[in-house]
PDB file of all heavy atoms in Angstrom:
ATOM      1  N   TYR A 292      16.267  -3.448  -1.274  1.00  0.00           N
ATOM      2  CA  TYR A 292      17.100  -2.391  -1.815  1.00  0.00           C
ATOM      3  C   TYR A 292      17.089  -1.108  -0.975  1.00  0.00           C
ATOM      4  O   TYR A 292      18.117  -0.472  -0.781  1.00  0.00           O
ATOM      5  CB  TYR A 292      16.645  -2.068  -3.262  1.00  0.00           C
ATOM      6  CG  TYR A 292      17.524  -1.074  -3.961  1.00  0.00           C
ATOM      7  CD1 TYR A 292      18.752  -1.481  -4.479  1.00  0.00           C
ATOM      8  CD2 TYR A 292      17.154   0.257  -4.084  1.00  0.00           C
ATOM      9  CE1 TYR A 292      19.592  -0.587  -5.092  1.00  0.00           C
ATOM     10  CE2 TYR A 292      17.992   1.164  -4.738  1.00  0.00           C
ATOM     11  CZ  TYR A 292      19.202   0.724  -5.236  1.00  0.00           C
ATOM     12  OH  TYR A 292      20.018   1.628  -5.850  1.00  0.00           O
ATOM     13  N   ALA A 293      15.903  -0.743  -0.460  1.00  0.00           N
ATOM     14  CA  ALA A 293      15.795   0.507   0.277  1.00  0.00           C
ATOM     15  C   ALA A 293      16.359   0.375   1.705  1.00  0.00           C
ATOM     16  O   ALA A 293      16.563   1.391   2.384  1.00  0.00           O
ATOM     17  CB  ALA A 293      14.356   0.990   0.323  1.00  0.00           C
ATOM     18  N   ASN A 294      16.568  -0.820   2.127  1.00  0.00           N
ATOM     19  CA  ASN A 294      17.185  -1.070   3.458  1.00  0.00           C
ATOM     20  C   ASN A 294      16.466  -0.310   4.583  1.00  0.00           C
ATOM     21  O   ASN A 294      17.069   0.218   5.511  1.00  0.00           O
ATOM     22  CB  ASN A 294      18.669  -0.647   3.416  1.00  0.00           C
ATOM     23  CG  ASN A 294      19.504  -1.251   4.544  1.00  0.00           C
ATOM     24  OD1 ASN A 294      20.621  -1.675   4.316  1.00  0.00           O
ATOM     25  ND2 ASN A 294      18.974  -1.313   5.732  1.00  0.00           N
ATOM     26  N   LYS A 295      15.122  -0.215   4.433  1.00  0.00           N
ATOM     27  CA  LYS A 295      14.361   0.484   5.491  1.00  0.00           C
ATOM     28  C   LYS A 295      13.962  -0.496   6.577  1.00  0.00           C
ATOM     29  O   LYS A 295      13.856  -1.699   6.324  1.00  0.00           O
ATOM     30  CB  LYS A 295      13.074   1.094   4.889  1.00  0.00           C
ATOM     31  CG  LYS A 295      13.336   2.123   3.820  1.00  0.00           C
ATOM     32  CD  LYS A 295      12.055   2.769   3.318  1.00  0.00           C
ATOM     33  CE  LYS A 295      12.350   3.690   2.125  1.00  0.00           C
ATOM     34  NZ  LYS A 295      11.159   4.421   1.670  1.00  0.00           N
ATOM     35  N   THR A 296      13.754   0.026   7.756  1.00  0.00           N
ATOM     36  CA  THR A 296      13.212  -0.785   8.848  1.00  0.00           C
ATOM     37  C   THR A 296      11.725  -0.491   8.956  1.00  0.00           C
ATOM     38  O   THR A 296      11.332   0.687   9.116  1.00  0.00           O
ATOM     39  CB  THR A 296      13.912  -0.435  10.178  1.00  0.00           C
ATOM     40  OG1 THR A 296      15.320  -0.657  10.011  1.00  0.00           O
ATOM     41  CG2 THR A 296      13.394  -1.287  11.315  1.00  0.00           C
ATOM     42  N   LEU A 297      10.893  -1.512   8.795  1.00  0.00           N
ATOM     43  CA  LEU A 297       9.444  -1.368   8.916  1.00  0.00           C
ATOM     44  C   LEU A 297       9.009  -2.067  10.197  1.00  0.00           C
ATOM     45  O   LEU A 297       9.234  -3.252  10.357  1.00  0.00           O
ATOM     46  CB  LEU A 297       8.778  -2.032   7.689  1.00  0.00           C
ATOM     47  CG  LEU A 297       7.255  -2.046   7.669  1.00  0.00           C
ATOM     48  CD1 LEU A 297       6.671  -0.646   7.652  1.00  0.00           C
ATOM     49  CD2 LEU A 297       6.767  -2.800   6.408  1.00  0.00           C
ATOM     50  N   LYS A 298       8.421  -1.270  11.095  1.00  0.00           N
ATOM     51  CA  LYS A 298       8.089  -1.826  12.405  1.00  0.00           C
ATOM     52  C   LYS A 298       6.630  -1.637  12.753  1.00  0.00           C
ATOM     53  O   LYS A 298       6.097  -0.546  12.536  1.00  0.00           O
ATOM     54  CB  LYS A 298       8.899  -1.116  13.522  1.00  0.00           C
ATOM     55  CG  LYS A 298      10.363  -1.494  13.586  1.00  0.00           C
ATOM     56  CD  LYS A 298      11.021  -0.633  14.672  1.00  0.00           C
ATOM     57  CE  LYS A 298      12.026  -1.434  15.460  1.00  0.00           C
ATOM     58  NZ  LYS A 298      12.621  -0.645  16.554  1.00  0.00           N
ATOM     59  N   GLY A 299       5.993  -2.634  13.314  1.00  0.00           N
ATOM     60  CA  GLY A 299       4.692  -2.433  13.947  1.00  0.00           C
ATOM     61  C   GLY A 299       4.917  -1.918  15.347  1.00  0.00           C
ATOM     62  O   GLY A 299       5.961  -2.144  15.943  1.00  0.00           O
ATOM     63  N   SER A 300       3.946  -1.188  15.850  1.00  0.00           N
ATOM     64  CA  SER A 300       4.076  -0.673  17.209  1.00  0.00           C
ATOM     65  C   SER A 300       2.819  -1.005  17.994  1.00  0.00           C
ATOM     66  O   SER A 300       1.770  -0.404  17.817  1.00  0.00           O
ATOM     67  CB  SER A 300       4.293   0.849  17.198  1.00  0.00           C
ATOM     68  OG  SER A 300       4.480   1.320  18.525  1.00  0.00           O
ATOM     69  N   MET A 301       2.931  -1.987  18.866  1.00  0.00           N
ATOM     70  CA  MET A 301       1.825  -2.407  19.725  1.00  0.00           C
ATOM     71  C   MET A 301       1.969  -1.668  21.038  1.00  0.00           C
ATOM     72  O   MET A 301       3.012  -1.788  21.709  1.00  0.00           O
ATOM     73  CB  MET A 301       1.902  -3.914  19.906  1.00  0.00           C
ATOM     74  CG  MET A 301       0.950  -4.490  20.904  1.00  0.00           C
ATOM     75  SD  MET A 301      -0.749  -4.291  20.336  1.00  0.00           S
ATOM     76  CE  MET A 301      -1.620  -5.144  21.637  1.00  0.00           C
ATOM     77  N   TYR A 302       0.948  -0.877  21.418  1.00  0.00           N
ATOM     78  CA  TYR A 302       0.942  -0.185  22.720  1.00  0.00           C
ATOM     79  C   TYR A 302       2.249   0.562  22.968  1.00  0.00           C
ATOM     80  O   TYR A 302       2.806   0.551  24.052  1.00  0.00           O
ATOM     81  CB  TYR A 302       0.700  -1.203  23.833  1.00  0.00           C
ATOM     82  CG  TYR A 302      -0.098  -0.687  25.042  1.00  0.00           C
ATOM     83  CD1 TYR A 302      -0.498  -1.572  26.042  1.00  0.00           C
ATOM     84  CD2 TYR A 302      -0.516   0.647  25.137  1.00  0.00           C
ATOM     85  CE1 TYR A 302      -1.227  -1.144  27.150  1.00  0.00           C
ATOM     86  CE2 TYR A 302      -1.240   1.075  26.204  1.00  0.00           C
ATOM     87  CZ  TYR A 302      -1.605   0.182  27.232  1.00  0.00           C
ATOM     88  OH  TYR A 302      -2.324   0.613  28.314  1.00  0.00           O
ATOM     89  N   GLY A 303       2.737   1.200  21.891  1.00  0.00           N
ATOM     90  CA  GLY A 303       3.978   1.980  22.043  1.00  0.00           C
ATOM     91  C   GLY A 303       5.194   1.160  22.426  1.00  0.00           C
ATOM     92  O   GLY A 303       6.141   1.707  22.982  1.00  0.00           O
ATOM     93  N   SER A 304       5.165  -0.151  22.139  1.00  0.00           N
ATOM     94  CA  SER A 304       6.263  -1.041  22.547  1.00  0.00           C
ATOM     95  C   SER A 304       6.678  -0.734  23.983  1.00  0.00           C
ATOM     96  O   SER A 304       7.883  -0.668  24.311  1.00  0.00           O
ATOM     97  CB  SER A 304       7.476  -0.889  21.610  1.00  0.00           C
ATOM     98  OG  SER A 304       7.088  -1.053  20.275  1.00  0.00           O
ATOM     99  N   ALA A 305       5.692  -0.535  24.823  1.00  0.00           N
ATOM    100  CA  ALA A 305       5.981  -0.041  26.194  1.00  0.00           C
ATOM    101  C   ALA A 305       5.894  -1.146  27.240  1.00  0.00           C
ATOM    102  O   ALA A 305       5.011  -1.980  27.208  1.00  0.00           O
ATOM    103  CB  ALA A 305       4.980   1.058  26.567  1.00  0.00           C
ATOM    104  N   ASN A 306       6.853  -1.125  28.135  1.00  0.00           N
ATOM    105  CA  ASN A 306       6.698  -1.898  29.373  1.00  0.00           C
ATOM    106  C   ASN A 306       5.973  -0.955  30.337  1.00  0.00           C
ATOM    107  O   ASN A 306       6.586  -0.072  30.927  1.00  0.00           O
ATOM    108  CB  ASN A 306       8.082  -2.309  29.891  1.00  0.00           C
ATOM    109  CG  ASN A 306       8.642  -3.420  29.030  1.00  0.00           C
ATOM    110  OD1 ASN A 306       8.040  -4.495  28.910  1.00  0.00           O
ATOM    111  ND2 ASN A 306       9.770  -3.171  28.414  1.00  0.00           N
ATOM    112  N   VAL A 307       4.671  -1.187  30.495  1.00  0.00           N
ATOM    113  CA  VAL A 307       3.825  -0.193  31.134  1.00  0.00           C
ATOM    114  C   VAL A 307       4.236   0.150  32.580  1.00  0.00           C
ATOM    115  O   VAL A 307       4.081   1.269  33.029  1.00  0.00           O
ATOM    116  CB  VAL A 307       2.342  -0.588  31.096  1.00  0.00           C
ATOM    117  CG1 VAL A 307       1.817  -0.567  29.673  1.00  0.00           C
ATOM    118  CG2 VAL A 307       2.088  -1.955  31.740  1.00  0.00           C
ATOM    119  N   ARG A 308       4.782  -0.859  33.286  1.00  0.00           N
ATOM    120  CA  ARG A 308       5.117  -0.588  34.710  1.00  0.00           C
ATOM    121  C   ARG A 308       6.229   0.437  34.861  1.00  0.00           C
ATOM    122  O   ARG A 308       6.325   1.117  35.883  1.00  0.00           O
ATOM    123  CB  ARG A 308       5.510  -1.897  35.427  1.00  0.00           C
ATOM    124  CG  ARG A 308       4.353  -2.748  35.575  1.00  0.00           C
ATOM    125  CD  ARG A 308       4.438  -3.845  36.598  1.00  0.00           C
ATOM    126  NE  ARG A 308       3.306  -4.695  36.359  1.00  0.00           N
ATOM    127  CZ  ARG A 308       2.048  -4.340  36.612  1.00  0.00           C
ATOM    128  NH1 ARG A 308       1.785  -3.183  37.229  1.00  0.00           N
ATOM    129  NH2 ARG A 308       1.042  -5.104  36.298  1.00  0.00           N
ATOM    130  N   THR A 309       7.092   0.537  33.873  1.00  0.00           N
ATOM    131  CA  THR A 309       8.137   1.568  33.947  1.00  0.00           C
ATOM    132  C   THR A 309       7.776   2.777  33.072  1.00  0.00           C
ATOM    133  O   THR A 309       8.027   3.914  33.455  1.00  0.00           O
ATOM    134  CB  THR A 309       9.520   1.006  33.518  1.00  0.00           C
ATOM    135  OG1 THR A 309       9.362   0.293  32.285  1.00  0.00           O
ATOM    136  CG2 THR A 309      10.087   0.085  34.565  1.00  0.00           C
TER     137      THR A 309
END
Side-chain angles (χ1 to χ4, degrees):
Y292 186 76
N294 198 140
K295 298 184 187 184
T296 301
L297 176 62
K298 286 177 141 183
S300 183
M301 172 66 176
Y302 214 174
S304 308
N306 286 301
V307 292
R308 291 198 191 289
T309 48

